[in-house]
């Protein structure tokens, strides 16, 4: 097994301007915020963001002008905090294209890539303007029954970023709590970058959730999902989320820089 | 008894769940989450509670104020079922009830959760329908809840059709609409409202077969609600 441990800046260097980026977690839960902040600090441009249900991750990348399009089923902080205003403004003024999906059509599009096929039939979507206005949906004739079926074009992220509780230096990964759509993202993507709260040593009893062969880079970042939640370890930091919504982005990123880059040196 | 709108709506949602129904709710969904738990604690003990993190029948979860999609729903559940598999269940006809929302509804059952104005140059970009576009056509009973009832929400024609399908009920702070022969008709009026108020706040014409009043939450329902939701998160959307 190859050692894939690296510092956060080197991991983010795997992302090129204009890449399609899959993001793990769901709304304010286990979003890879340290990697997202590092992408913003690296001033990446023109990214195509893929997520079933996004929140602060999508909003921060839009605030940093790193995004060209967002393909998602839902983008919002949940009820209490409200809309993702940076995302919303960017779509309304035309700087970001909002590719609206249903969460399940993101999953289906990722499954297509995971299965090595160009598109995926999707039930539902029988009556929806989404099919008419978006070139990633269309309807085709079922070759066996002649009935019409909606299909979604495959999405193949160049790089997927995921934050987890535990990984080893080889890229074996263990989740605690909900996995959300992370496994589908991993299977669909060309490259996978994992940030982990803790680098551990697994053994055959560990029965990891993602085996090392699916992963290309591992970064150790304690509190790497903060201010979003990370199951079993910490809940959201609502004051930090609210501060982001009104603060200057550079100041906000600077505040986290030391913490995000505090990588522990691991001997090879 | 309670005549608070959030309690009336949550109890009305709970009563629409039948025993043994498989029931799903998504993000930003405190009211349906609590309604599903209320139904399971009262008339529908064998209903199955499904949600975004995949907690199957969470037992006494310690609910959180900002989310209806966190690990509190898997911590105390028998299984953690990946979201993709819950959607798959609906696609093959195995989901009975889904609670969803949106920003505009018309009386033909069209739901808009996407944009106000033009899709490619939206005046207002909404969060998106999340699961709606595939769940509303595939779930047996889609129940919409919306905490705003005004003429910009209940319109003659939606700006954009995110989806249309098996919407059976829409629960608002004023009333309950139901689909009847392809048309949204007034089914129940909350005792806190009246038909004039509903008509004044609805752009499409109000039609009905007979006028019924929504039964108020009972003392027994309120006791259970206060146990499930001691911090009153069911009222979050009204704050």
């Amino acid at each position: 097994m190859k050692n894939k441990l690296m510092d956060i800046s080197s991991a983010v260097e795997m992302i090129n301007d204009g890449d399609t980026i899959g993001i793990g977690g769901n709304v304010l839960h286990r979003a890879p915020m340290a990697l997202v902040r590092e992408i913003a600090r690296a001033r990446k441009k023109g990214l195509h963001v893929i997520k079933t249900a996004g929140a602060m991750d999508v909003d921060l990348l839009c605030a940093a002008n790193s995004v060209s399009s967002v393909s998602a089923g839902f983008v919002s902080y949940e009820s209490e905090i409200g809309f993702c205003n940076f995302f919303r403004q960017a779509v309304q003024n035309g700087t970001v294209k909002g590719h609206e999906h249903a969460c399940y059509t993101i999953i289906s599009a990722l499954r297509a890539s995971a299965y090595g096929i160009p598109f995926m039939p999707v039930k539902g979507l029988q009556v929806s303007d989404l099919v008419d206005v978006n070139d990633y949906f269309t309807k085709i004739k079922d070759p066996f029954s002649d009935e019409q079926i909606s299909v979604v074009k495959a999405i193949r992220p160049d790089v997927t970023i995921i934050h987890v509780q535990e990984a080893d230096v080889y890229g074996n990964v263990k989740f605690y709590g909900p996995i959300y759509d992370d496994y589908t993202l991993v299977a669909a993507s060309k490259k996978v970058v994992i940030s982990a709260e803790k680098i551990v040593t697994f053994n055959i009893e560990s029965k990891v959730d993602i085996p090392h062969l699916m992963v290309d880079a591992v970064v150790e970042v304690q509190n790497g999902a903060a201010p979003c939640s990370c199951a079993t370890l910490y809940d959201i930091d609502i004051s930090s989320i609210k501060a982001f919504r009104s603060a200057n982005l550079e100041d906000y990123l600077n505040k986290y820089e030391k913490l995000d880059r505090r990588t522990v040196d691991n001997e090879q | 008894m309670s005549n608070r709108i959030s309690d009336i709506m949550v109890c009305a949602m709970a009563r629409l769940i039948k025993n043994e129904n498989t029931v799903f709710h998504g993000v930003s969904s405190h009211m349906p989450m609590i309604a599903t738990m209320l139904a399971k604690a009262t008339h529908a003990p064998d209903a199955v509670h499904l949600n975004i993190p995949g907690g199957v029948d969470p037992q006494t979860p310690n609910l959180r104020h900002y989310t209806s999609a966190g690990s509190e729903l898997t911590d105390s559940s028998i299984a953690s079922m990946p979201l993709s598999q819950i959607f798959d269940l609906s696609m093959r006809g195995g989901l009975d009830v889904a609670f969803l929302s949106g920003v505009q509804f018309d009386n033909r059952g069209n739901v808009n959760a996407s944009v106000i104005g033009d899709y490619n140059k939206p005046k207002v970009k909404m969060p998106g329908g999340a699961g709606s576009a595939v769940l509303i056509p595939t779930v047996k009973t889609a129940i919409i809840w919306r905490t705003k009832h005004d003429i910009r929400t209940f319109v003659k024609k939606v700006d954009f059709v995110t989806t249309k399908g098996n919407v059976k009920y829409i629960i608002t702070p004023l009333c309950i609409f139901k689909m009847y022969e392809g048309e949204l008709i007034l089914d129940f009026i909350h005792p806190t409202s009246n038909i004039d108020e509903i008509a004044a706040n609805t752009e499409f014409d109000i039609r009905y077969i007979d006028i019924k009043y929504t039964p108020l939450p009972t003392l027994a329902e309120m006791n259970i609600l206060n146990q499930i939701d001691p911090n009153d998160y069911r009222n979050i959307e009204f704050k």
Side-chain angles (χ1 to χ4, degrees), chain A residues 29 73-75 78-80 83 88 92 97-98 100 102-104 111 123 125-126 128-129 134 180 235-236, chain B residues 28 64-70 87-88 91 114 119-121 123-125 127 129-130 133 137 161-164:
Chain A
H29 306 297
F74 180 86
V75 182
E78 289 183 76
S79 324
E80 186 181 344
F83 290 118
R88 189 181 204 184
Q92 287 169 197
K97 183 82 186 99
E100 186 170 327
C103 296
Y104 187 67
R111 278 177 169 168
K123 190 143 173 97
L125 286 185
Q126 287 100 325
S128 177
D129 289 347
N134 292 307
Y180 300 111
D235 205 344
I236 65 163
Chain B
S28 291
R64 285 189 261 178
H65 58 98
Y66 68 92
T67 187
S68 61
F87 282 122
D88 292 343
M91 300 310 131
S114 304
Y119 179 81
N120 288 308
K121 194 89 182 61
K123 203 165 102 196
V124 185
K125 170 75 181 114
V161 180
T162 306
T163 185
K164 179 183 180 165

Side-chain angles (χ1 to χ4, degrees), chain B residues 80-94:
Chain B
S80 188
M81 188 172 175
L83 178 60
S84 55
Q85 290 189 24
I86 296 172
F87 282 122
D88 292 343
L89 178 73
S90 188
M91 300 310 131
R92 60 181 182 261

